């Protein structure tokens, strides 16, 4: 019984390691794909889905701020043109 339990434990350890490698490879592939669009992804080492999600959220916040600034500038230019 002990030998069977030990063998099963070894199989579970092997399966766990295989899953960790698979998960890491998938996460790394995801990071590399997004790195082309989000330059800060290049700085992420040992990525987790949580850390990548945080980077995406920060990047989206940055884009929103840029969009708001540009929209404000466009509106100011429109107002200037209307005044002339």
């Amino acid at each position: 019984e002990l030998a069977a339990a030990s063998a099963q434990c070894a199989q579970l350890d092997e399966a766990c390691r295989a899953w960790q490698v698979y998960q890491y490879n998938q996460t790394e592939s995801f990071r590399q794909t997004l790195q082309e669009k989000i330059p800060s992804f290049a700085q992420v080492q040992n990525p987790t889905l949580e850390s990548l999600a945080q980077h995406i959220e920060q990047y989206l916040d940055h884009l929103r701020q840029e969009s708001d600034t540009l929209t404000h500038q466009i509106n100011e230019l429109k107002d200037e043109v209307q005044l002339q």
Side-chain angles (χ1 to χ4, degrees), residues 50-82:
E50 184 178 335
S51 68
L52 295 178
Q54 288 173 346
H55 276 275
I56 291 169
E57 184 177 2
Q58 290 169 356
Y59 184 70
L60 291 175
D61 286 343
H62 172 74
L63 290 179
R64 275 189 219 99
Q65 289 174 355
E66 281 187 355
S67 176
D68 290 347
T69 299
L70 290 173
T71 300
H72 180 73
Q73 290 173 347
I74 288 170
N75 288 335
E76 285 182 344
L77 290 172
K78 285 180 181 178
D79 290 345
E80 284 181 28
V81 168
Q82 288 177 355

Side-chain angles (χ1 to χ4, degrees), residues 1-12:
E1 219 175 283
L2 181 59
S6 294
Q8 187 176 17
C9 189
Q11 286 178 333
L12 289 173

